Amino acid sequence: MNKALWKEIEKFNLDFPLSEYGFSTRLAYENEWTEFFTQKAIEEYKKFMYLAAMSNQMVSPSEIVDIVWHQHLIFTESYKAFCSVLGKKIEHIPSTHNKEEKNKFLAAKNALKNFTKANLVYNLKNFGNLILLQKHFKLSNQKLR
């Protein structure tokens, strides 16, 4: 594990520059996420991007991480600065869900799992628990309306 790179990734503030409707505020609002869930999703996004930067293969994120990634792409200057920290531009290649692409994206998911085992950073099991937590919060929020 490249600890120096990981420290730089952890320090990177996706909410800079500060604004009333900044990155995490917008991410939470548009996805009906709590502040806690949003921060955990951002942490997992950073872990995924570390692995993507370290891997020589295409890796594919979880659904939640992909949502964070899409949001970050909209904040183009921040994304550009983040890629500078990573040491390479991480291209987002969306799936068209064609049968021809199935093997390519399956290989990307497997590459992430294999790379995760070697680096022990991106915890898919714990992130699965966050997905359950997200569903719980959405249900709780609906009850309040």
Side-chain angles (χ1 to χ4, degrees):
M1 180 172 172
N2 183 334
K3 291 182 182 181
L5 175 59
W6 177 242
K7 283 184 181 186
E8 289 302 310
I9 291 170
E10 279 187 307
K11 284 191 322 188
F12 191 87
N13 185 355
L14 277 71
D15 281 314
F16 183 81
L18 294 175
S19 72
E20 189 175 326
Y21 196 58
F23 182 83
S24 62
T25 301
R26 183 174 175 171
L27 184 65
Y29 178 78
E30 290 179 0
N31 292 286
E32 298 180 345
W33 292 349
T34 64
E35 183 179 340
F36 172 79
F37 186 86
T38 300
Q39 291 309 309
K40 290 297 181 187
I42 290 170
E43 286 174 26
E44 292 303 310
Y45 167 71
K46 288 180 173 183
K47 291 174 187 178
F48 169 78
M49 293 301 277
Y50 168 80
L51 291 173
M54 299 300 294
S55 177
N56 292 325
Q57 293 180 261
M58 182 175 95
V59 291
S60 186
S62 68
E63 182 181 341
I64 301 297
V65 168
D66 196 47
I67 290 168
V68 179
W69 194 358
H70 281 246
Q71 186 71 35
H72 201 192
L73 288 167
I74 293 169
F75 287 73
T76 54
E77 291 303 314
S78 174
Y79 189 73
K80 184 176 166 184
F82 191 55
C83 286
S84 291
V85 168
L86 296 172
K88 69 180 184 183
K89 185 175 181 192
I90 309 295
E91 298 286 343
H92 187 282
I93 304 167
S95 171
T96 59
H97 301 284
N98 290 333
K99 288 181 182 179
E100 301 81 37
E101 286 189 333
K102 183 178 179 181
N103 289 337
K104 178 172 89 173
F105 282 91
L106 186 57
K109 289 264 186 212
N110 288 332
L112 176 63
K113 286 179 187 174
N114 293 334
F115 201 74
T116 299
K117 288 176 189 174
N119 287 274
L120 301 174
V121 175
Y122 189 69
N123 190 332
L124 295 172
K125 182 179 179 202
N126 286 343
F127 204 72
N129 292 338
L130 278 178
I131 293 169
L132 294 175
L133 197 58
Q134 176 200 16
K135 289 178 182 174
H136 168 75
F137 282 122
K138 279 190 174 182
L139 291 174
S140 298
N141 288 341
Q142 287 174 355
K143 289 177 187 174
L144 295 174
R145 291 180 188 167

